[in-house]
Amino acid sequence: MASLSPLLCLLVAAAHLAGARVTTSPEEPTATAWSFEGPSLRPGQPSPALEDWEGCSSKTCRCPDHILLGSVVTPSGRPLPGARVSLRDWSGAVAITDAHGTFRMPGVCASSRANVSAQMDGFSAGLGQAQANGSISAVVTVVLNKLEKPYLVKHPESRVRETGQNVTFCCKASGTPMPKKYSWFHNGTLLDRREHRYGAHLEVRGLRPDQAGTYHCKAWNDAGTVRSGTARLTVLAPGQPACNPQPREHLIKLPEDCGQPGSGPTYLDVGLCPDTLCPSPADSSPRCGDAGSRCCSVRRLESREIHCSNYVLPVKVVAECGCQKCLPPRGLVRGRVLASDSGEPLSFAQILLGQEPIGFTSYQGDFTIEVPPSAQRLVVTFVDPSGEFVDTVSVLPFDPRGGGVYHDVKAMRKKAPVILDASESNTIPLGELEDEAPLGELVLPAGTFRRADGEPYTGPVEARVTFVDPRDLTSAAAAPSDLRFVDSDGELAPLRTYGMFSVDLRAAGSAEQLQTGPVAVRVNARQIRMAGHVEALKLWSLNPDTGLWEEESGFQREGAAAPRVRREERVFLVGNVEIRERRLFNLDVPERRRCFVKVRAYANDKFTPSEQVEGVVVTLVNLEPAPGFSANPRAWGRFDSAVTGPNGACLPAFCDADRPDAYTALVTATLGGEELEPAPSRPRPLAATVGVAQPYLDRLGYRRTDHDDPALKRNGFRINLAKPRPGDAAEANGPVYPWRSLRECQDAPVTASHFRFARVEADKYEYNVVPFREGAPASWTGDLLAWWPNPQEFRACFLKVQIQGPQEYMVRAHNAGGSHPRTRGQLYGLRDARSVRDPERPSMSAACVEFKCSGMLFDQRQVDRTLVTIMPQGSCRRVAVNGLLRDYLARHPPSAPADDPAAFSMLAPLDPLGHNYGVYTVTDQSPRLAKEIAIGRCFDGSSDGFSREMKADAGTAVTFQCREPQAGRPSLFQRLLESPATALGDIRREMGEAARAQAQATGPLRTRRGRARQ
């Protein structure tokens, strides 16, 4: 922004000219000071003629009767007093702005269009051009932007090349001023700028094998430096294949009746291609990206048959891998914004990605955000339209490989307003926990309030200061950002907080926001108990565009020169800040004792390596324990979240090598709102179960949250963050890694020590004829029998099945081609789900069972209405079908067979029905998110709600009545497998005239119950 509007310039000129007509008394000093290449002028001293100044051209300053009137302001229009002003061609300041940010330069020709520059500490230099507004006067407004450390908007990306090819890495940073200087590093060594002639781009030509490795850039401006993420370059030797045609091992679990009785689960190797990069074609040379990027993916599938109990299970396995065009990764983040105190949704909140508005939350607080390409941090701000909540700045972890992630975002309600008298000094406490002294206080001196234009404000002030108190362990969920800053080396580094506060100051009775001059932040030194933290404490403000904290000031002991205070008196640390555009502040200490913690998530508590779950959000909250009571923390210090990939996740944490319990941590994990359970620790943690070898496990003090009280939830664990000791072989293999060993943590094999979580909803089983890893969209393969026919849009469908009976029962959905001529009668896949009991109805449960949605297949030529057959395990009979669903199916022929009273069959609807039909459909760019949202709605029995507590009588499609079989009598599932005709005859005799055939069709494929777990 080079200048403000012409109207503002005219107003500035009018004010100056009006002031020029007033005669100032000798006792009344002027506020404008002057500085030259010579003796400085005292306030009130007449200005010399500009034509006498050396270096002044005749076209600019040979007009003794002319005057240049100017002002120096911020982009918001706030005046900047004390700015040094000069003409562009001169060295040294010509004027210094007064208390109103204005200045006067006599002798500057009105028609000269002089270029005027201004400088001020903490701001980037600004330039403005004078504009004549009369025959003898001109005006100019110079806008200064506050210095802002650089931040990366584009990181270099990993590449694969063959020997002799070229490669280009690209880096782009923003900031104030815009960074102009870049440096590039190879394996941590600075590359010679003259040799490589790089700037924001680094081009390496004629690649050699020794040029493989890691590359990163650094960018500089006047405020500091920033380091990019690391890109890896792979240089292939001549003839070296980029993609091994032989697929890697990938095991899937088969139904239990497909293995040997009593031998446990049976697995089949269906193969996978590693989804690694391939070299770009030799004739492609894009500057900043591989437009024709190729990846190692499936080239050919083969059909196999698995012989199970009384039936044959079809399957397709990967036969060959090859380099093909990459599917573009589409990282997706979905979630809800909820009030941290009441759980109410934040409706219609504006969503900002950096500074750019991208949409609004729904009435229920839901949001969907597509991750920008090459992003490494997703900084999102949610702005409440009612003004009752603090602007929520969140750094949301996402899956960089293109998977979907779900987050619950907590919004912090503003504290009730207090009315302040602007003419008096005011003190507002920071932290008001019961039985706890305030952590500190905010002191606002008399006369400190200003309007946005810099004019003093003297009326009543409505102040809302909202404090996040880390002594309240529940407040961590609502804390803004992710407590990181850019250190002097340009690297992201963690902070340890002692409290955050938001300041909202408004003119009483209006929405006008007020600003302040310097105010004091006083912190009770006795609340800072960690060694060395009193000296290191600093005051920070949050940059909402980057989500990073930036230093505002340090702290000094109050009255350091005063006599020593008595022991019982409080000692305060004092820092200063001006409350301007930024309104979120933090009392933090940069902590150097840092580590990484390795965590993996599994489909069930068997912790089978081939059944790891991706897309799980793992959160680690650093805790400061009370001395001698590691299980009773007195405060949290920071929090971090990460998303599990194919090799788990590494979470940053504070740690200590000398005192294992100097820092402790609480670790939790969620998937789409579902809480996962860690390995148990009662009566004592077992190394084989927890996943950590002894004796390191004992030193870490692993305890699940229910260790001391079995009635508590089992949704997390606590550990001592004992840093591994150098030279100790027992601690060199995880699960805690030194800060500089991130690569070792990320690449650690599954056999290395790590902490474990398992899904609670483990009584589910999924089988696809065409294998697909939902956490890795690039594993999709085009095939008519693919469960998901479109890799860019995933539609999840669920049916809610009500069970009337004393137990929870397994329910199977058999999905086969129904109307498409090329897939009719062929299996797409199986789904098993165990019913969940309704907490308010002991004799009733319900299951949310996935089925394959009807619609276009992979060829996009003709729709297929999937033939879905629902069969509960046990002695069950169908007693009711949702009336709306029954009428819909009758109006949309053909009908599915209905002669089996122990099952329910339908040709799945093409339309996305809703909870009134007992059908739940969600379309999303992530299959995992689509399923999790649909399950939440199914549990709730609504089309827009979300619940993990089953409401068995709401929104059901079909109802079965189940009873316990007679002693020694096989279950219905078993009888159907062994002798379907006899079993059906028994059912008919028991039910009498219960069910009649409505259509003739082949019966569904039957399989024996398998308590298989996903």
Side-chain angles (χ1 to χ4, degrees):
M1 182 173 179
S3 62
L4 297 183
S5 65
L7 178 59
L8 179 58
C9 293
L10 291 174
L11 292 175
V12 172
H16 276 289
L17 291 173
R21 297 189 187 101
V22 177
T23 302
T24 304
S25 65
E27 292 82 12
E28 188 177 347
T30 179
T32 303
W34 302 84
S35 175
F36 307 98
E37 297 291 329
S40 61
L41 293 177
R42 297 186 302 276
Q45 181 177 349
S47 304
L50 287 188
E51 62 266 23
D52 296 333
W53 296 352
E54 296 181 6
C56 183
S57 68
S58 58
K59 292 182 179 180
T60 301
C61 52
R62 298 294 183 180
C63 305
D65 297 330
H66 292 208
I67 189 169
L68 172 64
L69 308 175
S71 62
V72 181
V73 298
T74 65
S76 63
R78 176 170 64 88
L80 292 174
R84 300 178 298 277
V85 184
S86 63
L87 295 179
R88 186 175 183 181
D89 297 333
W90 292 358
S91 59
V94 174
I96 296 179
T97 56
D98 61 16
H100 302 286
T102 61
F103 63 90
R104 304 170 71 184
M105 287 188 184
V108 176
C109 301
S111 60
S112 66
R113 301 179 65 87
N115 291 315
V116 181
S117 63
Q119 293 181 325
M120 187 172 180
D121 292 342
F123 290 81
S124 63
L127 184 68
Q129 190 173 61
Q131 302 291 329
N133 72 328
S135 59
I136 63 170
S137 65
V139 295
V140 65
T141 298
V142 183
V143 178
L144 301 188
N145 291 281
K146 190 171 183 178
L147 282 178
E148 184 180 74
K149 283 190 173 183
Y151 59 92
L152 268 298
V153 295
K154 182 174 181 58
H155 295 259
E157 300 178 23
S158 295
R159 294 283 179 256
V160 175
R161 292 290 186 270
E162 296 175 347
T163 300
Q165 285 188 322
N166 306 329
V167 68
T168 300
F169 292 109
C170 301
C171 183
K172 183 179 180 182
S174 187
T176 305
M178 188 66 70
K180 300 294 185 183
K181 179 183 176 183
Y182 290 84
S183 294
W184 285 91
F185 298 79
H186 174 223
N187 292 335
T189 301
L190 177 65
L191 295 175
D192 186 271
R193 186 186 307 274
R194 291 170 296 182
E195 177 184 349
H196 293 276
R197 299 180 181 179
Y198 57 69
H201 301 166
L202 169 67
E203 184 176 7
V204 185
R205 306 182 67 84
L207 284 168
R208 306 183 307 271
D210 64 311
Q211 291 175 307
T214 61
Y215 288 82
H216 74 267
C217 78
K218 279 189 176 183
W220 275 268
N221 71 1
D222 294 342
T225 183
V226 66
R227 182 190 189 278
S228 76
T230 298
R232 183 169 292 274
L233 173 64
T234 302
V235 180
L236 302 175
Q240 180 183 354
C243 178
N244 189 343
Q246 185 68 29
R248 294 181 181 177
E249 181 183 68
H250 177 56
L251 302 177
I252 64 168
K253 184 186 291 185
L254 298 175
E256 288 192 358
D257 52 356
C258 294
Q260 296 297 321
S263 62
T266 300
Y267 292 86
L268 174 68
D269 180 11
V270 296
L272 66 80
C273 300
D275 190 28
T276 54
L277 291 172
C278 293
S280 296
D283 57 349
S284 67
S285 57
R287 287 286 298 165
C288 277
D290 286 348
S293 292
R294 299 190 302 160
C295 299
C296 186
S297 56
V298 176
R299 175 169 287 173
R300 183 168 57 88
L301 293 172
E302 286 184 355
S303 297
R304 304 270 180 87
E305 291 184 344
I306 307 298
H307 293 275
C308 304
S309 176
N310 297 328
Y311 69 95
V312 174
L313 186 70
V315 64
K316 293 196 174 185
V317 301
V318 179
E320 183 183 0
C321 301
C323 289
Q324 302 187 84
K325 185 176 180 180
C326 299
L327 286 174
R330 301 184 70 180
L332 203 68
V333 171
R334 294 194 67 161
R336 298 182 71 193
V337 187
L338 307 170
S340 61
D341 54 356
S342 65
E344 65 181 277
L346 204 65
S347 304
F348 310 122
Q350 187 179 33
I351 306 173
L352 304 176
L353 194 60
Q355 294 181 329
E356 180 184 358
I358 59 171
F360 298 86
T361 61
S362 71
Y363 175 74
Q364 294 291 339
D366 299 306
F367 64 88
T368 301
I369 300 172
E370 187 168 344
V371 181
S374 75
Q376 292 203 351
R377 282 168 56 86
L378 187 66
V379 182
V380 184
T381 302
F382 300 93
V383 181
D384 172 37
S386 70
E388 284 300 308
F389 291 86
V390 176
D391 290 353
T392 304
V393 182
S394 298
V395 180
L396 301 178
F398 60 92
D399 187 345
R401 299 179 309 122
V405 178
Y406 184 91
H407 293 283
D408 277 334
V409 178
K410 303 298 184 183
M412 185 169 53
R413 195 182 302 273
K414 292 179 181 177
K415 193 171 178 62
V418 295
I419 303 300
L420 307 180
D421 186 343
S423 64
E424 298 181 357
S425 179
N426 297 274
T427 300
I428 300 176
L430 299 177
E432 297 179 350
L433 290 183
E434 188 176 353
D435 300 327
E436 291 277 0
L439 189 136
E441 57 193 18
L442 182 65
V443 182
L444 300 105
T448 190
F449 296 99
R450 298 283 187 273
R451 298 184 186 274
D453 61 1
E455 289 297 318
Y457 175 82
T458 57
V461 177
E462 186 178 280
R464 306 177 81 168
V465 177
T466 308
F467 189 69
V468 178
D469 197 328
R471 297 172 298 178
D472 176 7
L473 299 183
T474 64
S475 67
S481 185
D482 63 351
L483 288 172
R484 291 175 185 256
F485 77 107
V486 177
D487 65 15
S488 58
D489 294 325
E491 299 189 22
L492 290 183
L495 293 167
R496 192 274 193 222
T497 187
Y498 282 95
M500 313 177 192
F501 58 98
S502 164
V503 182
D504 187 4
L505 304 173
R506 298 181 186 270
S510 76
E512 180 188 1
Q513 274 203 338
L514 300 177
Q515 302 178 353
T516 74
V519 301
V521 179
R522 303 173 75 236
V523 177
N524 185 352
R526 290 195 175 183
Q527 297 288 343
I528 315 297
R529 298 182 174 95
M530 295 288 283
H533 282 197
V534 168
E535 296 77 14
L537 186 69
K538 296 181 184 296
L539 182 61
W540 309 72
S541 66
L542 181 64
N543 184 334
D545 299 334
T546 64
L548 298 172
W549 296 92
E550 298 178 1
E551 184 179 339
E552 290 281 348
S553 78
F555 281 87
Q556 301 290 331
R557 285 185 179 269
E558 188 175 46
R564 188 168 181 174
V565 297
R566 293 193 302 270
R567 185 176 183 87
E568 64 273 12
E569 291 184 356
R570 292 186 297 172
V571 177
F572 282 95
L573 308 174
V574 182
N576 293 284
V577 67
E578 292 187 5
I579 300 171
R580 302 287 188 186
E581 291 81 6
R582 295 188 183 178
R583 301 289 169 138
L584 277 170
F585 302 95
N586 202 345
L587 310 170
D588 273 31
V589 173
E591 179 60 88
R592 298 294 179 184
R593 297 173 291 179
R594 301 172 287 182
C595 292
F596 286 98
V597 178
K598 185 61 176 256
V599 179
R600 298 178 188 269
Y602 294 85
N604 54 62
D605 58 8
K606 303 299 182 186
F607 304 119
T608 305
S610 62
E611 295 184 312
Q612 292 191 64
V613 180
E614 302 175 35
V616 174
V617 179
V618 185
T619 300
L620 185 150
V621 181
N622 261 111
L623 305 174
E624 178 189 332
F629 299 93
S630 60
N632 183 28
R634 61 188 174 200
W636 59 270
R638 70 168 286 106
F639 55 90
D640 279 282
S641 295
V643 177
T644 58
N647 204 31
C650 295
L651 291 102
F654 297 147
C655 60
D656 195 280
D658 300 325
R659 288 183 49 211
D661 62 349
Y663 273 118
T664 63
L666 171 65
V667 186
T668 58
T670 60
L671 178 64
E674 170 198 347
E675 294 180 330
L676 278 66
E677 286 187 2
S681 61
R682 290 172 58 91
R684 63 184 305 272
L686 301 176
T689 305
V690 176
V692 179
Q694 291 286 16
Y696 200 9
L697 179 59
D698 287 341
R699 186 166 180 249
L700 293 170
Y702 178 90
R703 293 290 185 273
R704 197 165 71 174
T705 47
D706 67 335
H707 182 85
D708 297 319
D709 185 355
L712 296 178
K713 293 178 69 175
R714 300 175 291 181
N715 63 338
F717 64 86
R718 286 182 177 171
I719 54 171
N720 297 327
L721 288 165
K723 186 177 181 179
R725 292 170 290 198
D728 191 330
E731 300 179 4
N733 203 28
V736 181
Y737 292 83
W739 183 255
R740 295 297 177 186
S741 299
L742 175 59
R743 176 65 64 179
E744 288 83 349
C745 180
Q746 293 173 332
D747 296 341
V750 72
T751 53
S753 291
H754 60 275
F755 294 109
R756 296 167 169 173
F757 281 92
R759 295 195 69 177
V760 180
E761 298 176 359
D763 282 328
K764 297 198 301 184
Y765 175 70
E766 298 181 359
Y767 174 79
N768 297 327
V769 171
V770 180
F772 175 64
R773 293 173 289 138
E774 292 175 353
S779 67
W780 180 85
T781 305
D783 193 278
L784 289 176
L785 294 178
W787 186 275
W788 308 97
N790 183 354
Q792 300 298 318
E793 185 177 80
F794 298 90
R795 188 179 179 202
C797 297
F798 283 79
L799 201 74
K800 190 166 185 177
V801 180
Q802 185 187 89
I803 304 291
Q804 298 175 354
Q807 295 186 27
E808 295 178 340
Y809 296 85
M810 209 72 177
V811 181
R812 169 163 289 181
H814 176 277
N815 302 266
S819 61
H820 196 287
R822 297 182 59 185
T823 63
R824 186 181 294 119
Q826 296 187 59
L827 184 68
Y828 290 118
L830 305 174
R831 295 294 188 268
D832 290 347
R834 181 169 292 278
S835 64
V836 178
R837 193 173 302 282
D838 189 322
E840 298 183 1
R841 295 167 178 79
S843 61
M844 185 182 296
S845 62
C848 293
V849 189
E850 185 186 9
F851 65 89
K852 185 185 182 304
C853 305
S854 295
M856 286 287 185
L857 298 185
F858 163 66
D859 60 0
Q860 295 292 306
R861 294 179 180 177
Q862 184 176 341
V863 301
D864 180 43
R865 292 187 62 188
T866 309
L867 175 59
V868 181
T869 303
I870 304 295
M871 297 178 293
Q873 161 244 335
S875 299
C876 303
R877 61 188 178 93
R878 187 181 70 247
V879 296
V881 177
N882 183 297
L884 292 176
L885 177 61
R886 183 178 59 246
D887 293 344
Y888 177 93
L889 296 175
R891 294 195 309 270
H892 296 80
S895 298
D899 60 344
D900 187 349
F904 168 73
S905 297
M906 69 174 181
L907 287 175
L910 288 169
D911 299 312
L913 305 181
H915 68 285
N916 292 329
Y917 297 79
V919 179
Y920 301 85
T921 304
V922 173
T923 301
D924 205 291
Q925 294 171 341
S926 163
R928 193 166 49 210
L929 284 181
K931 291 168 64 170
E932 293 299 333
I933 295 169
I935 290 173
R937 293 177 180 176
C938 180
F939 269 60
D940 191 61
S942 67
S943 292
D944 57 0
F946 190 90
S947 176
R948 283 297 174 185
E949 189 174 275
M950 179 62 76
K951 301 175 183 178
D953 64 340
T956 59
V958 60
T959 302
F960 289 87
Q961 190 175 74
C962 301
R963 63 179 183 178
E964 291 303 297
Q966 300 174 6
R969 186 183 186 190
S971 68
L972 176 60
F973 237 44
Q974 187 64 34
R975 286 185 288 145
L976 284 171
L977 288 170
E978 295 176 352
S979 181
T982 303
L984 291 176
D986 292 342
I987 294 170
R988 290 191 180 92
R989 284 193 297 275
E990 293 172 1
M991 297 179 60
E993 300 293 330
R996 297 176 179 232
Q998 296 181 4
Q1000 297 297 323
T1002 58
L1005 178 69
R1006 311 273 187 221
T1007 59
R1008 189 177 63 186
R1009 168 208 171 191
R1011 271 187 65 102
R1013 300 185 174 196
Q1014 180 181 326

